Amino acid sequence: MRTKLLAAAISMGALGGASLEALAQAKPDVLVKQRQAAMTLQGKYLGPIGAMMKGAAPYNADIVAVNATYLENLARMPWDGFVASTQGEKSKTKPSAYTDAKFKAAADALESATAKLGAAARAKDEAGVRASFGAVAKACGSCHDDFREK
Amino acid sequence: MKPGEIQLKVWDLPVRLFHWVLVLLFAFMFFSGKVKGDWMEWHMRAGYAILALVLFRILWGFAGSTHARFSSFLAGPSACIAFARKLLARAPAPSAGHNPLGGWMVLALLLALLFQTGTGLFSNDDILIEGPLASLVTKARSDQLTSWHYWNFNLLLFLAAAHVVAVLYHAGFMKENLIGAMFTGVKRLPADAAGGVVARFASPWLALVLLAVAAIAVYLIVKRPF
């Protein structure tokens, strides 16, 4: 039952791109706040999994399943906030993020890494979680390196 | 050796070891700070080591051998200007310890390293990694200190490059083998270069004790067992 609900959540997330039309009306400062909020929450749910990977907290498959699923959805959310109208707003986003094709590639990398992690987490596959966790942190980091100001 | 020159021991072992270990660690910090990823754990450990070394060097600057002491090499403005004039004219101006400009560079480097390691303790990467003291401040403050940590590294690179250029200038144009001296501790100098100062060398055991004090201080800062 839980898995079905989670699967439904994922597919709704996947359809989220359809709401882009409505977003085009949103104010630039709101768009910036929303994309930052999505990333803040990504950090919130990544943290406990990271602690388990380091051994700083005991492995808890249920927490990992919930967090990784939230993460998988959250990973899809920030991107429609990176529109040209937000370039004038105060943020750490480098101007190249709005023009460079690598930005979309980096976003896609995060989506696919979190999808793999989510799948392993919901299958209660600890080895799979451990194997796919690194790619998630790496995806966050490399996009920041390329597109976020120091 | 030219006539009238003597071999003078100026750099004690603690100063020389400190210098070269720092060079290696600094190079590692450049690499690990750029590549990040799996290297971050070692980046932080090396940072703690550098902090301990810098704290040691500051203590040694008060308690160490003559030419290691700040009081022996931090010169006033007139001495610095006079020395700079000689440098530009490529006139010989050998000094037993650090020359007036070099002395201030030592202090600048130590302070910049202190700032780098200090801000590092409070930094975060916005993903999974944070310094041991990051939890003591707000996220906004940590972000500010992280930004300074990044930008200060550019200052450090500039200072280090200036230091290397200066040393090469001394070697090439002033015929002073400063690099070799920092390995062997011995400078070839005109007999009167020491200016009547007879260097006293502090015990290496004192250096070990002070290094241990510095290491314990860093441990307490990082682990905060209290």
Side-chain angles (χ1 to χ4, degrees):
Chain A
M1 181 58 190
R2 200 120 179 253
T3 328
K4 278 200 186 146
L5 275 178
L6 292 169
I10 303 295
S11 38
M12 279 173 67
L15 292 168
S19 64
L20 208 50
E21 299 279 346
L23 277 172
Q25 317 300 327
K27 294 184 185 176
D29 57 335
V30 172
L31 289 174
V32 169
K33 284 210 176 78
Q34 290 168 341
R35 70 196 196 201
Q36 288 172 341
M39 297 209 201
T40 302
L41 289 174
Q42 286 170 15
K44 175 179 178 179
Y45 294 108
L46 186 70
I49 308 178
M52 293 177 203
M53 297 297 101
K54 264 197 331 196
Y59 191 83
N60 182 319
D62 294 329
I63 293 178
V64 173
V66 169
N67 283 24
T69 300
Y70 286 157
L71 199 52
E72 191 178 343
N73 280 291
L74 288 162
R76 295 190 163 95
M77 294 185 197
W79 319 121
D80 58 16
F82 287 93
V83 290
S85 65
T86 62
Q87 274 202 260
E89 300 299 316
K90 181 169 180 283
S91 88
K92 278 194 162 186
T93 307
K94 286 186 183 170
S96 54
Y98 299 96
T99 52
D100 196 333
K102 282 203 230 150
F103 185 74
K104 177 158 196 310
D108 292 344
L110 182 68
E111 289 185 19
S112 77
T114 50
K116 289 201 179 77
L117 182 69
R122 284 185 294 278
K124 301 288 160 80
D125 170 14
E126 183 178 340
V129 164
R130 288 187 183 277
S132 50
F133 180 80
V136 173
K138 193 154 171 277
C140 308
S142 56
C143 191
H144 281 190
D145 283 347
D146 290 338
F147 298 109
R148 205 177 73 134
E149 304 281 7
K150 293 283 175 257
Chain B
M1 267 204 312
K2 292 196 218 118
E5 277 191 345
I6 53 167
Q7 304 252 51
L8 198 63
K9 180 162 184 210
V10 297
W11 304 130
D12 61 26
L13 186 62
V15 161
R16 287 180 275 143
L17 274 177
F18 161 82
H19 178 274
W20 294 113
V21 171
L22 186 60
V23 168
L24 291 173
L25 286 174
F26 186 72
F28 177 73
M29 293 312 252
F30 178 81
F31 159 76
S32 58
K34 281 265 177 293
V35 173
K36 290 183 269 203
D38 294 330
W39 290 100
M40 278 315 287
E41 219 183 303
W42 284 103
H43 181 89
M44 291 166 71
R45 287 185 189 143
Y48 305 149
I50 292 178
L51 179 58
L53 281 174
V54 169
L55 290 175
F56 158 75
R57 181 64 185 90
I58 292 172
L59 290 173
W60 199 239
F62 291 104
S65 310
T66 303
H67 294 299
R69 295 194 180 194
F70 297 121
S71 55
S72 80
F73 64 75
L74 291 179
S78 43
C80 292
I81 293 170
F83 180 77
R85 285 216 176 96
K86 283 195 179 160
L87 266 188
L88 289 170
R90 295 197 210 164
S95 56
H98 290 301
N99 65 58
L101 294 180
W104 287 104
M105 175 59 89
V106 168
L107 189 65
L109 282 165
L110 287 175
L111 290 176
L113 285 167
L114 207 54
F115 189 78
Q116 191 66 13
T117 49
T119 51
L121 293 171
F122 292 92
S123 292
N124 76 86
D125 75 345
D126 256 330
I127 305 166
L128 284 171
I129 298 162
E130 60 176 30
L133 302 186
S135 56
L136 297 179
V137 297
T138 60
K139 179 67 166 49
R141 177 78 68 204
S142 174
D143 287 347
Q144 174 65 272
L145 293 167
T146 306
S147 190
W148 289 348
H149 185 73
Y150 274 111
W151 288 106
N152 187 62
F153 193 72
N154 294 332
L155 174 64
L156 268 170
L157 281 176
F158 170 76
L159 289 173
H163 168 63
V164 169
V165 165
V167 167
L168 291 174
Y169 183 91
H170 277 267
F173 291 111
M174 315 284 288
K175 304 293 178 216
E176 292 173 54
N177 184 11
L178 296 183
I179 302 175
M182 193 46 82
F183 278 107
T184 64
V186 175
K187 279 192 188 180
R188 265 195 333 259
L189 296 164
D192 58 357
V197 172
V198 177
R200 284 184 60 247
F201 289 94
S203 162
W205 298 114
L206 176 63
L208 267 177
V209 167
L210 293 178
L211 183 63
V213 167
I216 290 169
V218 172
Y219 176 84
L220 291 174
I221 292 169
V222 171
K223 290 290 187 188
R224 284 184 302 127
F226 36 83

